[in-house]
Amino acid sequence: YRGNPDALSFRAVFPNYHFQFANTKNSSDFTVGAQLEYTRHLNDVLNLSVPFHFAAAEYPVDDLGQRFQERTYFGLDAQLQLKFFNEGQLFNPSLYAGLGFNVENFDAFALSAPVGLLLDIRVADRLYLSPKFEYRIGFEDNRNALMPALGVKILLGPGTPKENKDRDGDGVPNAE
């Protein structure tokens, strides 16, 4: 994001802890939450992002995944995004990985490793549709999760200044 090194994203997130046990996939296995993510452009190939997310998630309470309990979920991650194309294009895909700190019902703490795919789709000068597909590897038993998300990314800052093609205002371009 040359000229806009900082960005904020707002997304709806849909955690699913059922998938690791189920033979079939049901849309009812996904719960709903929200994510606020700060992203910093580091260079042409890397971004650093720090997403904060919260949701009402259904966690397995037995090792077979036959019983689930809804609990409040909070998470904070640090992620590196590997970019494939120069930013500012219509499509800006990236792969990401990181380390996350999760809290369940304010009484259980755990670490996880989020990995995923992000696709920013430019819809305006500093506005992107920003879907993510994430797989969270839990460091605790039965805490792997799918966590797709959909939202928007807004670039912050003044933007790249436009070159003034007529600095002295005489109506003749500088090159001439």
Side-chain angles (χ1 to χ4, degrees), residues 17 35 49-53 73-80 96-104 108-115 134-140 143 147:
Y17 288 87
Q35 180 180 80
S49 70
V50 180
F52 169 73
H53 30 170
Y73 165 86
F74 291 93
L76 182 66
D77 302 341
Q79 301 173 352
L80 284 176
Y96 65 90
L99 185 63
F101 179 74
N102 313 312
V103 179
E104 295 175 26
F109 304 93
L111 292 176
S112 62
V115 295
E134 181 171 294
Y135 180 75
R136 297 186 73 81
I137 302 164
F139 292 179
E140 302 287 328
R143 290 303 185 255
M147 194 177 292

Side-chain angles (χ1 to χ4, degrees), residues 20-138:
Q20 57 196 324
F21 304 102
N23 292 331
T24 60
K25 306 299 180 233
N26 297 318
S27 61
S28 64
D29 293 343
F30 291 88
T31 57
V32 178
Q35 180 180 80
L36 172 64
E37 179 179 49
Y38 168 75
T39 303
R40 175 73 180 182
H41 169 86
L42 298 177
N43 57 43
D44 288 342
V45 294
L46 286 177
N47 284 343
L48 172 67
S49 70
V50 180
F52 169 73
H53 30 170
F54 60 93
E58 292 183 357
Y59 289 99
V61 291
D62 63 9
D63 287 340
L64 299 175
Q66 305 211 347
R67 292 183 320 126
F68 286 81
Q69 179 183 29
E70 187 170 299
R71 299 181 65 138
T72 304
Y73 165 86
F74 291 93
L76 182 66
D77 302 341
Q79 301 173 352
L80 284 176
Q81 299 172 348
L82 177 63
K83 302 179 275 190
F84 293 108
F85 299 109
N86 289 333
E87 293 165 317
Q89 305 297 317
L90 178 60
F91 296 103
N92 295 293
S94 59
L95 291 176
Y96 65 90
L99 185 63
F101 179 74
N102 313 312
V103 179
E104 295 175 26
N105 267 12
F106 302 104
D107 61 5
F109 304 93
L111 292 176
S112 62
V115 295
L117 173 68
L118 167 68
L119 177 62
D120 288 334
I121 304 164
R122 187 169 37 90
V123 294
D125 185 37
R126 292 193 221 177
L127 180 66
Y128 291 79
L129 181 62
S130 188
K132 289 174 86 172
F133 184 78
E134 181 171 294
Y135 180 75
R136 297 186 73 81
I137 302 164

